[in-house]
């Protein structure tokens, strides 16, 4: 069953539903890295070596959703090209499903696509392992029109739990048990969304409605409904199914088979004492309406209501703003999960009134006895400790000789000294246990930092403070006695430090001269490592540098035992990617040097400067040999490679083929739509031509709309014809450029050594003549540029 990204490895995860912040953490970074690697596989397999690791890929192209969905999670990454329909898309939470004739698939997204539910699209991307394999992060999606209808078979709860309808449109029936408006504060587009809990025969299903429903849809509580939507699921960190979820794409996908017996406002008020007796174990409990004053509220989790001295704990996923003192109506079902009467699956509605409640001052025995369960109480005692967590603070107070924990979540408490007398106010929460559910302990849940008030400061003259004062006097005596010795030792240390600093400065100047001489990576890194070894006797230095696009990495020795590493630094490229490392490790008998950190700082500075200088030199060379618009080899590099290929063919008595490519009527695109459209047109042409050539071939841009393909070691006429046919097919499909479809064509000319010439100029001239002959035959070809909505 498809699952949404999850950033935690030890908590249940869902498709962006339970906590949208999950897919903006570490897992999202892992998925982005995986997607980047996959794109490199698509466009240039040889570039994988720049990462210094092996990536296994599957050359198979999957053309059906069922092939993706049924692929094992541990299978190699495979290319995907699908044609079908978007069956559900919620851009606010990044939830997207796709279906074709064979099946459905979940699409992992972290950005907004200009598509709608029901659009016919083509998907180009890669697979990503999951409970059922899904599409990897952010594939290329192209809209081709509006979609067709797919059947939505009716499935039972057991069928859905078995994953039979995963990622497919299905129909199911049930009773709406809860309806909430949830605000996702951390998502692609923060805002409210509608969530339903629907009880089916066999279990409950969470249902999420498309944002087109709005924020206040008509209430469906207690209605028997038939819904058509996409089946999904909630998962834990091991990709194990923990719950069912369905996504409803439109309002007409919900049919009310039986309206609720009563409207919410027609329900009679229920006394708090009568809440629990109304619960039925066969889950046929009636929804209750309880009125009370809010004494505690935690958004998306719970609230506590109090009325005439009685309190009730209310479980709700509601996130609407409620204030302490608001008089509200809670609509929910009785539950036995708490020590006192409670409501679950509740909705809370304000009545428009408010009431100020005074907390009851109680003793420890009264609170522990359970008489004030969930009531707003106040207790006083001495501070034993104050603990600060990531999202909560706990104040441990000694009340009548007993320790009581007062907890504040998502807030800050004043700092209290140990022994201070404080008064804490909050909700008395009983923890029950045993066969009779007797109170075992209780805690106080505070609402804000103002619920903890200082009553009296502790006395300063304590045994601890007297011991601290004695320790201070003893420390001063020791300092005075050792001051003379320290001054003498400091002078010796400073002298040695100056001498070592001068040695480090001399070595630094020597390495800088080596950097300025544009030495190779091996030479530079060897000098740096030798310098470190000379400055820090007893260490060894190793390096690895794997520059993007290089034939082989620069490598000294294998990385030593990680347990003996003293220092390691990563070598970063211009875009922040890791290209290698330098590691310093200790040998047996190594004695740490006092200035080793100064040497490490020098190593960091020099190594960073060396890599930057090397990359800058490489970048300048690249810019001088490659076209700035398409990043293809330019005429200068093309001529050099052509000469090399021809020389190799002469020595080996082999063949070299060249294809001249001229884009037809390119000037009309520039004249009518501007050079920006023309540039994008050329970039897209370059991408298609690159995909059509062989790995050993060189594709170069030698003019404004002219390209040249050099095919070395060509041994058969049929092989050249195959490449030529693929190049011609690059123009079979229109080019989509900023809302326009460009129907283009190109004229191609072919020449081969030694049949058509002995030199590069003779071969290019023959290919040029062939190209113009082809262009004259294609005079009827018309370049059409059609507008299309984005």
């Amino acid at each position: 069953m498809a699952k949404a990204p999850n950033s935690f490895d030890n908590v249940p995860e869902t498709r962006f539903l339970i906590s949208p912040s999950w897919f903006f953490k570490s897992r999202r970074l892992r998925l982005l890295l995986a997607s980047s690697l996959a794109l490199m596989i698509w466009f240039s397999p040889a570039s994988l070596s720049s990462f210094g690791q092996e990536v296994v890929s599957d050359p198979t192209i999957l053309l059906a959703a069922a092939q993706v969905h049924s692929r094992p999670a541990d299978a190699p990454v495979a290319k995907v090209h699908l044609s079908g329909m978007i069956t559900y898309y919620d851009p606010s939470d990044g939830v997207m499903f796709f279906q074709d004739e064979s099946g459905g698939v979940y699409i992992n997204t972290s950005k907004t696509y200009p598509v709608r539910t029901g659009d016919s699209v083509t998907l180009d991307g890669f697979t990503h392992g999951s409970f059922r394999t899904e599409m990897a992060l952010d594939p290329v999606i192209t809209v081709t029109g509006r979609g067709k209808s797919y059947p939505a078979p009716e499935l039972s709860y057991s069928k859905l739990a078995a994953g039979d309808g995963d990622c497919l449109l299905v129909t199911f029936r049930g009773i709406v048990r809860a309806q909430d408006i949830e605000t996702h504060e951390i998502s692609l587009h923060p805002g409210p969304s509608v969530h339903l809990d629907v009880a089916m025969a066999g279990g409950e299903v969470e249902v999420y409605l498309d944002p087109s429903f709005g924020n206040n849809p008509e209430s469906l509580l207690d209605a028997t409904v038939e819904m058509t939507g996409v089946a999904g699921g909630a998962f834990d960190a091991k990709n194990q199914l923990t719950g069912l979820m369905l996504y409803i794409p439109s309002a007409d996908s919900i049919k009310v088979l039986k309206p609720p017996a009563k409207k919410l406002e027609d329900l009679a008020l229920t006394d708090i004492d009568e809440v629990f007796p109304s619960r039925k174990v066969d889950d046929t409990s009636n929804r209750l309406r309880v009125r009370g004053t809010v004494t505690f509220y935690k958004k998306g989790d719970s609230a506590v209501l109090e009325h005439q001295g009685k309190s009730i704990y209310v479980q709700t996923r509601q996130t609407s703003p409620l204030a302490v003192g608001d008089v509200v109506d809670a609509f929910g079902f009785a539950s036995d999960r708490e020590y006192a009467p409670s409501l679950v699956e509740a909705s809370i509605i304000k009545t428009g009134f408010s009431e100020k409640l005074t907390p009851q001052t109680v003793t420890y025995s009264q609170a522990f006895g359970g008489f004030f369960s969930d009531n707003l109480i106040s207790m006083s005692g001495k501070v034993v400790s104050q603990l600060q967590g990531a999202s909560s603070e706990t104040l441990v107070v000694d009340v009548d000789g007993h320790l009581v924990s007062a907890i504040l979540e998502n807030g800050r408490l004043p700092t209290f000294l140990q022994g201070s007398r404080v008064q804490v106010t909050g909700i008395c929460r009983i923890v029950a246990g045993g066969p009779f559910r007797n109170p075992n302990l209780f805690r106080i849940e505070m609402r804000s930092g103002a619920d903890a008030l200082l009553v009296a400061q502790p006395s300063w003259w304590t045994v601890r403070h007297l011991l601290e004062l004695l320790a201070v006097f003893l420390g001063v005596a020791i300092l005075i006695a050792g001051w003379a010795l320290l001054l003498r030792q400091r002078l010796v240390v400073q002298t040695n430090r100056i001498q070592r600093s001068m040695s480090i400065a001399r070595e630094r100047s020597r390495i800088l001269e080596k950097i300025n001489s544009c030495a190779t990576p091996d030479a530079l890194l060897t000098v740096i490592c030798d310098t470190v070894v000379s400055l820090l006797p007893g260490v060894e230095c190793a390096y690895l540098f794997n520059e993007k696009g290089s034939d082989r990495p620069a490598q000294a020795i294998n990385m030593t035992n990680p347990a003996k590493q003293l220092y390691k630094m990563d070598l970063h490229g211009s875009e922040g990617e890791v290209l290698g490392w330098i590691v310093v490790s200790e040998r047996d008998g190594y004695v740490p040097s006092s200035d080793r950190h100064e040497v490490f700082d020098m190593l960091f500075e020099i190594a960073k400067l060396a890599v930057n200088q090397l990359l800058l030199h490489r970048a300048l060379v690249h810019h001088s040999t490659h076209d700035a618009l398409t990043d293809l080899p330019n005429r200068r590099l093309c001529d050099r490679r052509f000469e090399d290929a021809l020389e190799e063919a002469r020595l080996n008595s082999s063949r070299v083929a060249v294809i001249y490519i001229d884009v037809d009527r390119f000037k009309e695109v520039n004249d009518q739509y501007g050079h920006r459209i023309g540039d994008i047109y050329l970039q897209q042409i370059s991408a298609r031509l690159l995909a059509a050539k062989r790995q050993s071939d060189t594709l170069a841009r030698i003019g404004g709309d002219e390209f040249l393909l050099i095919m070395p070691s060509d041994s058969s006429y049929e092989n050249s014809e195959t490449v030529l046919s693929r190049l011609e097919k690059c123009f079979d499909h229109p080019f989509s450029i900023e809302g326009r479809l460009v129907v283009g064509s190109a004229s191609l000319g072919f020449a081969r050594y030694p049949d058509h010439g002995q030199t590069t100029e003779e071969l290019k001239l023959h290919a040029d003549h062939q190209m113009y002959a082809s262009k004259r035959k294609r005079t009827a070809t018309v370049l059409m540029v059609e507008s299309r909505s984005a």
Side-chain angles (χ1 to χ4, degrees), residues 338-340 363-374 377 379 394 402-407 427-434 437-445:
E338 304 293 332
Y339 172 75
T363 64
Y364 178 88
S365 299
Q366 290 173 326
F368 184 81
F371 301 107
F372 295 93
S373 175
D374 294 326
I377 66 170
M379 307 182 76
T394 301
H402 303 277
L403 297 181
V404 177
S405 295
I407 301 173
I427 302 300
C428 179
R429 297 288 292 140
I430 299 293
V431 178
R437 293 185 55 80
N438 293 322
N440 282 345
L441 56 90
F442 74 95
R443 67 179 184 272
I444 298 176
E445 294 191 1

Side-chain angles (χ1 to χ4, degrees), residues 601-612:
D601 291 341
M602 186 269 289
L603 169 63
F604 178 83
E605 175 193 358
I606 293 297
K608 182 178 179 182
L609 180 61
V611 171
N612 289 341

Side-chain angles (χ1 to χ4, degrees), residues 495-513:
T495 301
N496 293 335
R497 184 175 298 171
I498 291 174
Q499 293 176 349
R500 288 283 292 174
S501 298
M502 293 176 63
S503 298
I504 294 174
R506 285 194 298 270
E507 293 297 331
R508 181 178 180 276
S509 299
R510 186 172 67 88
I511 298 176
L512 288 176
E513 293 178 0

